Amino acid sequence: MHLSFRAKISLTIIIVSMAITCVLSMVFYQQSAQTVQENYTQAQMQQLTACAKLFDNTMLDAYSACVYAVNDENLREKIREQDIDEISRILDAYRSKNQNIDSISCYLPSRQTVLKVNTNGLTEFQVTDEITQTLQQLLPENNANKLSPVYARDVTSVTQDNLFFYSRKAIAFGGEELAQITVGVNEREIFFHCLQSESEQSTERFILDGDRILSAADIYSLNTQITWPESGMLVTDVAMPTTDYHIVSIAQQSQVTEPLRTVRNRILLIAVFLNVAFAVLIFFVVRYLMRPMEELRSSMQLVSGGDLKVRAVVYQDDEIGQLSQGFNSMIAQIEGLIEELVTEKMLKKEAEIEALQYQITPHFMYNTLNSIKYEAILQGSQNTADLLEAFIELLQLSASDRGAFITVKQEIHMVQNYVKLQQFRYADCFQVTFDLQLEAEACYVPRLLIQPLVENAILHGIDHRKQNNQIAISVLCDTGALAIKVEDHGEGMTPEEIQKLLDGQRKSKFSGIGVSNIRERLRLYYGKNAELRFYSEKGNGTTAVILLPISYDAEEYTI
């Protein structure tokens, strides 16, 4: 459907107006809902704090019963005498003082039995491996909160209910373990005593140890990980200061904010009615505001036809006037950029002409050196002629304008010529071996990449006073990368000397291209896909390794 710009503006304003009204209504609704939720959360916080205090007090009573029993001299004496009836009577007395205690038991190592006292009286159990393991788990760890109970199943009970346990050992003065006293508080008693709320049936409450459920209305969820709601629920969490547990309540937001949704719907209906009335007024206002836009549109059409001298008329200093001024400024900048582009092309052409003129000098040098070479051949000095030939090829390849990248085969050939010159210079005090993989010969590498490393090995790596120096150069394709290695068996370098070499403080005397130059070119050409490494120890030689991507296209990495 084709709409005029005027219709689009009118429709946009109407839509925006309706959107703003709806958004404001929603904002007010959200703020009201947030206030209700905050009040609900605050009330829950107060209730949970009271529940947490009640739970802590209950646990402290059980803890006190356990500690008093362990330190009861009369109970210790009866344990030494193995007087089961008196032990049962004393334990029952401690249990009776606190109605929340489900049971209190005494493990007698000498008899390998457990005496358990609850509302049903005394029960004696023979110790099994399961009971032994459970008793050990009930003892507090060294770094645990001593006031925090241990949550576990009562293995001595038929129903094996979940209990909160406090367990301590009764130790004689000589260090002998007389007994282990364990006080247990039933989880169901804790739930009905601390968590259950008849006034809020839609709210679930839990006692948690981390994410593990210790007490809840659903007994099948005990000892499982709680599933935290992602959205649509109100979660209130209160930490218990004494036992390190948490008490949490979870309620649905929709049930808390239900009365507000009716008010929100009424506000939205009123907003729709008001926006329809505004639409008529907006239509006439837009007609008046569109007049300056017609002039700007006409100017744009002329510019699109190629007339960059056109400028839009600015009627007023309002938004449309600023748009016209911006349009005029943009056209002026485009004119300036076009002029700069023309000037840049002219300068580039002049630079190319100047570069062609500079090529005359190298050709003159090549011709002169060739004349000297042939003169050496005529005089029978073949060795001198070979050295001149190697130098000419090295100079030609170094100063060639055939691009920044050459094949590995060409680079190795240049290195061979350089080695031949250096062997003559240093009286053949070193030998160079080449290991060039056939697959790697056609790969393209930056010009003068290997020669500086060989030069560094000759100048700084080997001992020129010896005649058996060795330098090994290898190039191979390995796991998707081109690996270039230059290895000497010279005096080696310390980590500090390697760093100076990488920083460019030791430069080659022949080419003027240092190791830092190689690193910079690798960074510019390949980024993080290439690197230069040095491996060396003082007295054990130096190995330089270059790793870079395999490329069979001379233009692939050209800047």
Side-chain angles (χ1 to χ4, degrees):
M1 181 177 61
H2 177 72
L3 295 175
S4 65
F5 186 64
R6 180 186 304 170
K8 291 178 180 178
I9 290 181
S10 301
L11 186 59
T12 300
I13 294 175
I14 294 172
I15 293 174
V16 170
S17 177
M18 293 184 66
I20 291 175
T21 305
C22 294
V23 168
L24 289 176
S25 301
M26 292 301 298
V27 168
F28 292 143
Y29 168 74
Q30 291 295 336
Q31 289 181 345
S32 302
Q34 184 177 359
T35 301
V36 172
Q37 293 173 14
E38 289 176 353
N39 293 336
Y40 173 82
T41 302
Q42 185 176 4
Q44 283 294 311
M45 187 70 70
Q46 294 174 352
Q47 294 180 17
L48 293 185
T49 301
C51 292
K53 185 176 180 180
L54 184 59
F55 176 83
D56 277 353
N57 290 337
T58 302
M59 292 298 106
L60 286 176
D61 290 341
Y63 172 78
S64 299
C66 181
V67 172
Y68 284 136
V70 167
N71 293 281
D72 190 333
E73 285 297 331
N74 186 28
L75 178 60
R76 290 187 181 187
E77 183 64 27
K78 299 305 178 182
I79 291 174
R80 291 189 189 95
E81 297 173 358
Q82 301 291 303
D83 189 343
I84 303 302
D85 293 336
E86 281 301 310
I87 294 173
S88 172
R89 183 188 63 77
I90 296 173
L91 294 180
D92 188 57
Y94 280 111
R95 186 193 63 81
S96 301
K97 291 179 181 179
N98 190 335
Q99 60 180 359
N100 294 313
I101 295 178
D102 178 75
S103 64
I104 181 168
S105 59
C106 176
Y107 164 57
L108 301 175
S110 59
R111 294 169 57 94
Q112 287 295 300
T113 59
V114 174
L115 306 179
K116 180 179 179 181
V117 177
N118 54 17
T119 54
N120 297 324
L122 172 66
T123 306
E124 185 173 354
F125 300 90
Q126 285 297 125
V127 174
T128 63
D129 292 340
E130 183 182 11
I131 293 177
T132 300
Q133 183 178 4
T134 302
L135 288 173
Q136 186 63 32
Q137 292 175 350
L138 295 182
L139 293 173
E141 299 178 0
N142 293 332
N143 58 350
N145 181 0
K146 299 301 187 296
L147 298 179
S148 182
V150 177
Y151 184 80
R153 290 188 180 276
D154 185 2
V155 297
T156 62
S157 171
V158 176
T159 58
Q160 292 197 351
D161 295 331
N162 294 284
L163 273 69
F164 295 91
F165 288 102
Y166 286 102
S167 185
R168 298 293 185 273
K169 291 183 177 182
I171 307 297
F173 290 110
E176 177 188 2
E177 179 183 341
L178 299 176
Q180 180 176 337
I181 307 299
T182 302
V183 176
V185 179
N186 193 292
E187 177 274 330
R188 287 290 87 188
E189 293 293 334
I190 289 297
F191 175 79
F192 294 121
H193 185 55
C194 301
L195 296 185
Q196 191 177 41
S197 174
E198 298 180 358
S199 60
E200 297 179 2
Q201 299 297 331
S202 61
T203 301
E204 292 186 88
R205 292 181 177 177
F206 305 88
I207 294 178
L208 303 179
D209 181 11
D211 288 340
R212 186 167 66 112
I213 299 176
L214 305 184
S215 183
D218 182 10
I219 61 174
Y220 297 105
S221 66
L222 301 181
N223 254 324
T224 63
Q225 296 292 317
I226 188 172
T227 302
W228 295 103
E230 296 182 357
S231 60
M233 306 294 286
L234 293 176
V235 179
T236 307
D237 188 343
V238 172
M240 299 182 186
T242 303
T243 58
D244 289 344
Y245 292 151
H246 285 252
I247 182 168
V248 176
S249 71
I250 300 177
Q252 293 185 358
Q253 285 182 339
S254 58
Q255 293 183 356
V256 177
T257 59
E258 176 66 28
L260 294 175
R261 284 197 288 272
T262 303
V263 178
R264 178 197 62 187
N265 295 335
R266 292 178 181 175
I267 293 175
L268 290 177
L269 289 176
I270 296 173
V272 171
F273 175 78
L274 292 176
N275 278 280
V276 173
F278 292 152
V280 178
L281 178 62
I282 290 172
F283 175 77
F284 292 101
V285 173
V286 171
R287 287 184 60 184
Y288 172 76
L289 296 176
M290 280 296 299
R291 292 179 182 177
M293 293 292 292
E294 293 296 329
E295 178 64 28
L296 181 58
R297 182 179 65 85
S298 178
S299 300
M300 288 181 177
Q301 289 178 344
L302 294 175
V303 170
S304 63
D307 187 0
L308 297 179
K309 301 298 181 182
V310 174
R311 297 294 183 269
V313 178
V314 180
Y315 289 98
Q316 296 178 352
D317 189 18
D318 55 5
E319 286 77 3
I320 298 178
Q322 293 174 2
L323 181 63
S324 300
Q325 291 175 354
F327 171 77
N328 295 337
S329 177
M330 180 186 66
I331 298 303
Q333 290 181 3
I334 291 175
E335 282 189 296
L337 290 174
I338 292 175
E339 292 177 359
E340 290 179 5
L341 181 61
V342 172
T343 303
E344 183 179 349
K345 286 186 177 180
M346 293 177 62
L347 292 175
K348 183 178 180 181
K349 187 173 183 181
E350 292 177 359
E352 291 175 352
I353 295 173
E354 186 176 355
L356 292 174
Q357 291 175 349
Y358 283 139
Q359 291 180 1
I360 298 174
T361 300
H363 286 296
F364 171 74
M365 293 174 61
Y366 302 151
N367 294 334
T368 302
L369 290 171
N370 277 315
S371 299
I372 297 174
K373 181 187 73 172
Y374 292 128
E375 180 64 23
I377 293 174
L378 292 176
Q379 292 182 6
S381 182
Q382 185 61 42
N383 188 34
T384 303
D386 292 342
L387 291 174
L388 283 170
E389 178 67 24
F391 179 64
I392 291 171
E393 289 185 6
L394 182 61
L395 187 61
Q396 286 178 332
L397 194 56
S398 299
S400 173
D401 60 349
R402 288 180 291 178
F405 286 78
I406 59 175
T407 64
V408 170
K409 186 175 182 180
Q410 291 173 322
E411 178 75 7
I412 291 297
H413 181 65
M414 183 176 67
V415 171
Q416 290 172 338
N417 288 330
Y418 171 74
V419 168
K420 186 182 296 183
L421 293 172
Q422 294 300 314
Q423 286 176 331
F424 172 76
R425 176 182 178 184
Y426 291 104
D428 292 325
C429 71
F430 65 90
Q431 297 296 324
V432 180
T433 59
F434 294 88
D435 181 11
L436 180 59
Q437 190 182 51
L438 184 62
E439 183 183 352
E441 289 185 352
C443 295
Y444 279 88
V445 296
R447 185 192 301 272
L448 288 175
L449 183 67
I450 305 176
Q451 182 270 332
L453 299 179
V454 179
E455 182 177 359
N456 185 73
I458 294 173
L459 296 180
H460 305 292
I462 64 175
D463 188 352
H464 300 130
R465 295 170 296 181
K466 299 179 181 180
Q467 293 298 318
N468 59 345
N469 296 294
Q470 296 292 327
I471 298 175
I473 302 173
S474 63
V475 184
L476 54 90
C477 296
D478 183 22
T479 63
L482 184 66
I484 302 171
K485 182 167 69 174
V486 178
E487 182 180 6
D488 67 68
H489 299 83
E491 60 183 9
M493 294 185 291
T494 64
E496 292 77 13
E497 291 173 333
I498 292 176
Q499 192 59 46
K500 288 182 179 181
L501 182 64
L502 294 174
D503 294 339
Q505 299 180 20
R506 293 173 60 181
K507 293 186 177 179
S508 302
K509 299 177 181 179
F510 179 78
S511 65
I513 300 177
V515 173
S516 61
N517 180 279
I518 296 177
R519 294 181 67 196
E520 183 64 18
R521 285 192 293 151
L522 289 176
R523 184 186 67 81
L524 292 174
Y525 287 134
Y526 302 103
K528 295 182 179 179
N529 296 325
E531 58 180 321
L532 169 62
R533 304 174 183 171
F534 280 92
Y535 304 93
S536 180
E537 291 182 2
K538 203 65 177 177
N540 291 327
T542 301
T543 301
V545 178
I546 297 177
L547 299 174
L548 66 159
I550 296 175
S551 175
Y552 296 99
D553 183 2
E555 303 296 328
E556 182 176 357
Y557 291 100
T558 301
I559 299 177

